[in-house]
């Protein structure tokens, strides 16, 4: 290493030199490689070539902007980074005054080839030495080294050159060592390297640095002497952050989401004094939730830990809040606070029910990128195509929401065309039992109609969905094959009989519907046990009337098996198909969730119960309100003393909103079947429901932790 001294403990100007690279260079080290006297950032290189006059490198003064840009074609042989290595060192002013530093080695190689002349051009070049100048010139590279460790980021630019005559394409040239990046104890650092312009994908490396507790040399780091000690303890479902410091010491505490894809996202920050025990709700735990603590002193060292990476509760919470959205016409997006180790696949959902059948791996097998819209390379969209997200071969999420924009599922047959060598092609039809060859005459639907399906495909009657060098997908309509053998006279007779039968069923269904009552689905935000008891009392009272009530309190087993979103979607569709009504019960927590959706387009992670379907329901309910389909299908309500009418968002006031129990007659009138000939019973029904509802409401209003009462926390914990 070369540098110029500027006095005891003073910083130095960067100096560079080359030296030979020893064989068998060590890989990345987890411990401290050694101590060095403090110097400013310098760079030097190890060469796998013998030392030659003119080999040089240079570090630009100051940091540069981190702008990788797009990949461009190399004009010829160029120097590119091929591998990153790191090691930890202590940079010391004195024996007991050191800082932790990350030394980075960038291994370089030659990428690309020289164009070899032929014929007369080659003969002329041999006769003219000036034409050999490119081979005698230098290969130069501007190598960017990016270093990120919350909350700081740096980018430095290294200029490296080597005589072109000494290297061959694909040959390792050596390594450039940057010495070094200062880093916070316990931090997670990410390092990238690429050239300007960029000729290939950038290299990246992630490393977790030890904190003061994990360093044997912490006595040499003064900031460790007064650093707040942080421990994470768990008591059942509760988690506590315990900071063991003196009563007078002031320190900062920050909680943030350490996202691999995208910038770090701060979540909570406080300046505190003295020992502290800070509770965390178990529903707030995520694998990427990290904690950073530091003394409130100039140039203090920050210690960061991410203690929930392997916590099963954190991973369950992550999948619970993850949302898969299908964006028309052919896009999709996975929203989550942390990166997910998951893969996405396409599947085909038949209208008859049953599992969605996974298709061949049409999508790239790389991990899913969160919070970013992805376009599916489909030729055409189809309502039966769905997206599945799986983790460790376990299905986590599935959405077929294109049904809302493309209509209901279609009775189409999916044909899979496989292409092999020598233009060999095979076509089969995807069925629950597998992919049936069209001309196999199997005893299945596709086997019986194989010839007709093949003729329809050849005549262009099928919709192309996918087409590449290996396979193609086609959706062929099946409706014309079902009734083609019927004679017109039989169709007329059957149609007449069907009309008579429908008239009979219509009258019968009206009598039956009046007896069994209208369907009603209750949606609410499960804020606490008192509010759930109040909702349960309302649901039980409504069941005594001619109403069929569905609420997640009574369907916990199905809710746990299907998940909140799938259960809610099925219940909502069934209720509306039967001419029922969806009741939105607004509370302070529900209003906060609605406002977050309306402002940001997606909910912020918030503490929710394991069976809280209200947050999941917003993705289905909001489109109905935004597109004007809510009147006649939805009714709103809130409880006296818990919420004011003005607190209900204006979007939801496009449907009747009632205060309970003061406006029970109007509420029950909105719930009864249209055309109910017994309006005189509303008063008696309202008194019955009020008597059942009032005790639970009074008990909730008297409780110290009631929603809206002083001291009750909000969703973000403030």
């Amino acid at each position: 290493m070369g540098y110029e001294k500027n006095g005891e403990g003073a910083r130095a100007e960067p100096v560079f030199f080359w030296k030979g690279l020893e064989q068998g260079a060590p890989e990345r080290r987890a411990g401290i490689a050694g101590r060095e006297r403090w110097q400013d950032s310098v760079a030097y290189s190890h060469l796998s070539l013998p030392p030659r006059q003119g080999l040089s490198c240079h570090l630009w003064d100051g940091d540069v902007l981190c702008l990788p840009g797009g990949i461009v074609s190399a004009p010829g042989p160029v120097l590119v980074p091929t591998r990153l290595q790191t090691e930890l060192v202590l940079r010391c002013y004195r024996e007991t005054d050191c800082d932790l530093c990350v030394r980075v080695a960038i291994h370089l190689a030659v990428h690309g080839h020289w164009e070899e002349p032929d014929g007369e051009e080659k003969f002329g070049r041999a006769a003219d030495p000036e034409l050999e100048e490119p081979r005698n010139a230098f290969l130069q590279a501007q190598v960017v080294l990016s270093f990120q460790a919350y909350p700081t980021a740096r980018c430095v630019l290294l200029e490296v050159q080597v005589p072109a005559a000494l290297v061959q394409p694909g040959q390792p040239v050596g390594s450039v060592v940057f010495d070094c990046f200062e880093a916070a104890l316990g931090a997670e650092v990410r390092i990238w390297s690429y050239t300007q312009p960029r000729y290939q994908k950038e290299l990246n490396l992630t490393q977790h640095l030890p904190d003061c507790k994990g360093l044997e040399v912490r006595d040499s780091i003064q900031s460790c002497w007064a650093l707040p000690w942080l421990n994470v303890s768990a008591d059942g479902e509760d988690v506590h952050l315990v900071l063991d410091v003196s009563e007078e010491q002031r320190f900062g505490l920050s909680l943030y989401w350490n996202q691999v894809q995208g910038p770090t996202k701060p979540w909570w920050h406080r300046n505190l004094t003295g020992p502290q025990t800070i509770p965390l709700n178990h529903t707030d735990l995520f694998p990427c939730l990290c904690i950073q603590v530091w003394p409130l002193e100039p140039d203090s060292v920050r210690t960061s830990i991410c203690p929930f990476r392997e916590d099963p509760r954190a991973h369950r919470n992550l999948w619970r809040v993850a949302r898969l959205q299908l964006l028309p016409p052919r896009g999709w997006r996975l929203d989550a606070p942390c990166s997910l180790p998951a893969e996405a696949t396409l599947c085909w959902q038949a209208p008859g029910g049953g599992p969605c059948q996974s298709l061949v791996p049409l999508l790239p097998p790389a991990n899913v990128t969160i919070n970013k819209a992805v376009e599916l390379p489909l030729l055409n969209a189809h309502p039966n195509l769905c997206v599945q997200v799986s983790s460790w071969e376990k299905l986590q999420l599935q959405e077929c929401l294109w049904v809302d924009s493309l209509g209901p599922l279609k009775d189409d047959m999916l044909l899979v065309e496989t292409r092999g060598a020598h233009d060999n092609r095979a076509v089969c039809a995807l069925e629950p039992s597998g992919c049936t060859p069209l001309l196999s005459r199997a005893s299945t639907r596709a086997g019986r109609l194989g010839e007709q399906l093949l003729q329809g495909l050849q005549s262009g009657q099928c919709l192309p969905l996918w087409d590449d060098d290996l396979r193609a997908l086609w959706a062929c309509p099946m409706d014309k094959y079902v009734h083609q053998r019927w004679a017109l006279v039989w169709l007329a007779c059957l149609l007449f009989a069907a009309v008579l039968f429908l008239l009979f069923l219509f009258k019968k269904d009206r009598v039956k519907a009046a007896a069994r009552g209208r369907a009603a689905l209750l949606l609410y935000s499960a804020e606490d046990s008192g509010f759930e008891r109040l909702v349960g009392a309302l649901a039980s009272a409504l069941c005594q009337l001619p109403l069929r009530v569905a609420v997640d309190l009574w369907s916990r087993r199905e809710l746990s098996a299907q998940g909140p979103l799938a259960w809610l979607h099925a219940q909502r569709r069934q209720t509306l198909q039967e001419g029922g009504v969806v009741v939105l019960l607004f509370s302070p927590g529900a209003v906060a969730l609605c406002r977050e959706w309306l402002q940001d387009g997606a909910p912020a992670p918030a503490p929710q119960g394991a069976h809280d379907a209200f947050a999941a329901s917003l993705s289905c309910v909001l489109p109905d309100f935004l597109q004007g389909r809510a009147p006649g299908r939805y009714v709103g309500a809130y409880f006296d003393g818990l919420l004011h009418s003005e607190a209900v968002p204006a979007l939801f006031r496009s449907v009747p909103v009632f205060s309970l129990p003061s406006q029970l007659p109007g509420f029950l009138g909105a719930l009864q079947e249209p055309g109910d000939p017994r309006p005189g019973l509303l008063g008696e029904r309202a008194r019955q429901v009020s008597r059942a509802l009032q005790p639970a409401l009074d008990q909730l209003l008297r409780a110290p932790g009631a929603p809206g009462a002083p001291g009750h926390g909000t969703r973000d914990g403030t």
Side-chain angles (χ1 to χ4, degrees):
M1 179 182 304
Y3 48 85
E4 299 175 0
K5 295 185 178 179
N6 291 336
E8 179 64 20
R11 307 242 173 180
E13 296 298 328
V15 179
F16 311 94
F17 62 88
W18 298 86
K19 66 178 181 179
L21 175 67
E22 299 178 0
Q23 296 296 323
E27 296 297 326
R28 190 177 75 186
R29 305 174 187 174
I32 302 298
R35 302 170 184 260
E36 293 182 359
R37 194 171 183 79
W38 176 264
Q39 301 296 332
D40 206 348
S41 298
V42 299
Y44 54 91
S45 57
H46 297 291
L47 289 181
S48 58
L49 300 171
R52 297 291 183 95
Q53 184 177 4
L55 299 178
S56 62
C57 67
H58 172 69
L59 173 66
W60 277 37
D61 294 335
D63 291 356
V64 298
L65 294 177
C66 301
L67 299 173
I71 298 178
V72 300
S73 300
V78 292
L79 289 177
V80 294
T82 59
R83 186 160 57 95
L84 294 175
Q85 289 180 255
T86 64
E87 62 180 357
L88 304 181
V89 296
L90 289 180
R91 305 300 301 272
C92 300
Y93 300 97
R94 293 180 298 274
E95 183 68 22
T96 59
D97 187 6
C98 302
D99 287 320
L100 188 63
C101 217
V102 179
R103 178 184 294 159
V104 183
I106 311 171
H107 294 260
L108 301 171
V110 178
H111 173 74
H113 300 273
W114 283 280
E115 294 184 1
E116 293 294 339
D118 54 1
E120 296 180 359
E121 182 181 356
K122 184 174 181 180
F123 177 79
R125 175 166 294 186
D128 189 353
E130 294 183 358
L131 297 178
E132 291 294 327
E133 183 178 352
R135 295 298 297 268
N136 297 328
F138 285 88
L139 291 184
Q140 297 181 342
Q142 289 188 338
V143 180
V144 176
L145 189 59
S146 172
F147 181 90
Q148 293 187 9
Y150 182 81
T152 60
R154 291 189 59 194
C155 275
V156 297
L157 182 62
L158 311 176
E159 286 189 345
V160 184
Q161 64 178 15
V162 60
L166 302 182
V167 297
Q168 295 295 329
Q171 172 187 355
V173 172
S175 62
V176 176
V177 179
F178 181 83
D179 200 354
C180 58
F181 290 110
E182 298 177 52
L185 296 170
E188 180 181 80
V189 300
R190 299 191 182 94
I191 303 170
W192 287 269
S193 181
Y194 51 88
T195 58
Q196 286 186 343
R198 190 158 63 98
Y199 301 117
Q200 61 185 17
K201 185 177 180 181
E202 64 268 16
L203 301 179
N204 65 82
L205 182 148
T206 301
Q207 184 172 2
H208 300 280
L209 304 186
D211 56 17
C212 285
K213 293 184 179 181
L215 287 176
E216 298 179 357
V217 293
R218 58 177 175 265
D219 292 339
S220 300
I221 302 178
Q222 292 185 0
S223 57
C224 286
W225 303 351
L227 193 68
W229 294 110
L230 173 65
N231 290 305
V232 179
S233 65
D235 182 12
E237 293 293 334
D238 298 324
V239 178
H240 300 277
L241 308 181
V242 182
L243 293 105
D244 184 13
V245 298
S246 61
E247 295 184 358
E248 298 81 12
Q249 184 176 356
R250 298 178 66 248
F251 60 91
L253 180 68
S254 176
L255 278 69
Y256 62 95
W257 291 329
N258 192 26
Q259 297 174 326
V260 175
Q261 301 166 357
T264 299
K265 184 178 181 182
W267 179 50
W268 187 87
H269 171 82
R270 291 290 186 276
N271 291 335
L272 304 171
T273 302
Q276 296 281 342
T277 299
I278 301 173
L280 284 180
N281 195 312
H282 69 93
T283 57
D284 291 332
L285 306 184
F286 295 106
C288 63
L289 179 61
C290 299
I291 307 161
Q292 188 173 84
V293 61
W294 66 97
L296 294 178
E297 300 173 357
D299 300 326
S300 61
V301 173
R302 300 186 177 212
T303 294
S304 300
I305 62 172
C306 303
F308 308 111
R309 288 193 184 96
E310 306 300 331
D311 194 318
R313 296 172 299 179
H315 286 273
R316 288 196 297 268
N317 290 338
L318 181 58
W319 282 111
R320 177 175 54 83
V321 302
R323 295 292 180 266
L324 176 60
Q325 302 182 57
L326 268 66
L327 310 173
R330 293 183 292 275
W332 66 280
R333 184 176 69 188
L334 179 63
D335 294 324
C338 306
S339 299
L340 289 166
E343 294 183 355
T345 57
L346 282 175
C347 65
W348 179 265
Q349 181 65 62
C356 193
Q357 295 177 271
S358 297
L359 303 178
V360 288
L362 301 178
L363 302 181
N367 284 347
V368 172
T369 301
I370 63 171
N371 306 326
K372 180 180 179 182
V374 180
E375 192 74 15
L376 291 174
L378 295 171
L379 299 177
N380 293 283
H382 194 281
N384 295 32
L385 282 175
C386 308
V387 175
Q388 291 180 333
V389 176
S390 305
S391 178
W392 305 110
E393 299 183 355
K394 179 182 179 182
L395 178 62
Q396 298 286 357
L397 299 171
Q398 175 181 313
E399 284 300 326
C400 306
L401 294 187
W402 282 328
V403 173
D404 292 341
S405 59
L406 300 177
L409 298 177
K410 296 182 178 180
D411 186 22
D412 290 356
M413 183 71 71
L414 184 69
L415 301 186
V416 181
E417 179 182 354
T418 305
R419 298 163 180 171
H422 308 295
D423 202 25
N424 292 329
R425 302 190 177 192
V427 181
C428 62
L430 189 65
E431 296 186 289
S433 58
C435 206
T436 305
L438 291 187
L439 301 180
S440 64
R441 301 190 180 277
S443 58
T444 63
R445 187 185 188 190
R448 293 189 295 269
L449 301 174
E451 293 184 1
Q452 293 93 321
L453 286 172
L454 190 58
Q455 292 175 1
L457 175 62
Q458 295 172 348
S459 61
Q461 300 178 15
C462 299
L463 179 68
L465 303 179
W466 185 281
D467 194 353
D468 59 19
D469 295 336
L470 299 178
R471 62 189 64 83
L473 299 180
W474 309 81
C476 298
M478 297 293 294
D479 50 358
K480 66 177 182 179
Y481 303 117
V482 176
H483 306 295
Q484 62 182 359
R485 293 174 296 180
W486 290 8
L488 291 178
V489 62
W490 284 108
L491 284 176
C493 294
L494 289 176
L495 182 61
F496 179 75
V499 170
L500 294 178
F501 185 68
L502 288 176
L503 290 174
F504 172 77
L505 288 181
F506 179 74
K507 294 183 178 181
K508 181 179 179 181
D509 286 345
R510 291 197 60 179
V511 176
K512 184 177 180 181
R516 68 174 185 169
R518 192 183 187 188
L521 173 63
L522 303 187
L523 300 180
Y524 68 99
S525 177
E527 301 185 7
D528 54 26
S529 58
F531 191 81
E532 285 191 339
R533 285 194 296 270
L534 180 59
V535 174
L538 176 62
S540 300
L542 294 178
C543 284
Q544 303 303 318
L545 310 177
L547 289 172
R548 292 179 291 113
V549 179
V551 64
D552 64 348
L553 283 171
W554 301 340
S555 306
R556 289 290 170 83
R557 180 176 299 177
E558 293 84 357
L559 196 66
S560 299
Q562 302 175 17
L565 186 58
W567 182 87
L568 182 279
H569 187 69
Q571 293 293 328
R572 167 184 162 277
R573 181 171 55 185
Q574 179 180 351
T575 300
L576 297 180
Q577 285 179 348
E578 295 177 358
V581 62
V582 178
V583 181
L584 303 177
L585 296 177
F586 291 99
S587 62
V591 169
L593 273 174
C594 294
R595 287 175 177 168
E596 291 176 5
W597 271 87
L598 294 174
Q599 292 174 0
D600 302 331
Q608 303 174 16
H611 304 288
D612 187 3
F614 190 86
S617 70
L618 291 178
S619 62
C620 300
V621 171
L622 278 178
D624 288 342
F625 281 85
L626 293 173
Q627 299 173 13
R629 300 196 304 260
R633 309 167 76 187
Y634 290 83
V635 171
Y638 59 93
F639 295 100
D640 297 338
L642 294 183
L643 198 68
H644 193 270
S645 61
E646 298 298 326
V648 178
L651 176 65
F652 298 94
R653 293 202 292 270
S654 61
V655 301
V657 180
F658 302 94
S659 179
L660 306 182
S662 60
Q663 297 178 347
L664 266 173
F667 176 68
L668 297 181
L671 295 185
Q672 70 179 2
E673 191 78 28
D676 193 335
R678 296 168 294 174
L681 298 178
L682 283 180
E684 179 61 25
R685 293 175 179 176
R687 287 189 290 272
Q688 294 177 6
V689 176
S690 180
R691 286 194 297 268
L693 193 61
Q694 195 64 49
L697 179 59
D698 293 339
Q699 182 180 3
L700 179 59
L701 292 176
R702 290 193 300 267
H712 182 74
T714 59
R715 284 176 52 81
D716 59 0
T718 58

